[in-house]
Amino acid sequence: MAKQIKDKDGNVYVQKKVWYKRWWVWVLAAIVILALIGSLGGGDNDSSSSASKDSSSSSSSTTSSATAQQRAALGAAKTYANDMNMSKQGIYDQLTSDSGDKFNESDAKYAVDHLDVDWNKNALKAAESYQKDQNMSTDEIHDQLISQDGDQFTESQADYAINHLSK
């Protein structure tokens, strides 16, 4: 409640509390502090992409013993694999490229070796994109999938993709 003050003429004035002495300010501050503590203590939960949640890289003991650079490379590799449907070699090249992520070769190798990805499925998704968006023939798609200047999938992954494309 606000304090009422009367002056010598009988006028009543209401004296209000300073904003930082009001109860709701402290409740709001407590909520904000709890939210900050919760977000800082959240661990390694990555909710940026549902695909990242669906593919676990390996056992938690393997990733917990990894260096910070290896974990960072693995996170980038998961994005490339799950969101961009890249090949294993394509991901490695992107991670180590001077115009890419600039990870060292051992961190990039750790990342691609610890991905849990169906490479045939990635090749198929890339092939479907070429078929739908660029109207490429199956021979052109196959060449693009295995090209060293293209997607760099293996021959068997490209064959799987071509065999499973909708006709």
Side-chain angles (χ1 to χ4, degrees):
M1 288 293 259
K3 186 175 177 183
Q4 292 184 351
I5 302 172
K6 286 186 180 181
D7 67 2
K8 56 185 171 185
D9 295 330
N11 295 327
V12 177
Y13 296 98
V14 178
Q15 180 182 7
K16 293 185 178 182
K17 288 184 181 179
V18 197
W19 68 270
Y20 58 84
K21 288 187 177 181
R22 295 178 186 218
W23 68 270
W24 59 266
V25 171
W26 291 103
V27 170
L28 184 62
I31 292 171
V32 169
I33 289 171
L34 289 175
L36 287 173
I37 290 171
S39 68
L40 293 176
D44 290 340
N45 293 340
D46 182 15
S47 60
S48 62
S49 120
S50 61
S52 295
K53 288 188 231 173
D54 293 342
S55 68
S56 62
S57 64
S58 63
S59 68
S60 61
S61 62
T62 304
T63 54
S64 65
S65 65
T67 67
Q69 284 296 302
Q70 288 171 333
R71 287 191 303 271
L74 181 58
K78 284 180 180 180
T79 299
Y80 294 135
N82 297 326
D83 297 342
M84 301 172 73
N85 302 309
M86 291 175 69
S87 68
K88 186 174 185 177
Q89 185 61 47
I91 293 170
Y92 177 83
D93 289 350
Q94 179 65 26
L95 291 174
T96 58
S97 171
D98 286 338
S99 58
D101 294 297
K102 299 180 183 176
F103 286 104
N104 66 40
E105 292 179 1
S106 64
D107 292 338
K109 180 165 177 24
Y110 173 88
V112 296
D113 288 345
H114 287 83
L115 286 172
D116 183 22
V117 175
D118 181 352
W119 299 111
N120 286 335
K121 183 176 131 188
N122 276 17
L124 178 58
K125 285 185 176 182
E128 288 170 341
S129 174
Y130 289 131
Q131 185 181 48
K132 178 183 172 219
D133 299 334
Q134 298 182 24
N135 300 314
M136 295 172 75
S137 70
T138 53
D139 288 340
E140 286 178 305
I141 294 170
H142 186 273
D143 291 346
Q144 178 66 26
L145 291 175
I146 63 170
S147 171
Q148 290 304 307
D149 297 324
D151 292 305
Q152 301 179 5
F153 285 101
T154 65
E155 187 75 36
S156 65
Q157 292 163 352
D159 290 342
Y160 173 89
I162 296 301
N163 291 334
H164 289 84
L165 275 176
S166 59
K167 304 296 178 196

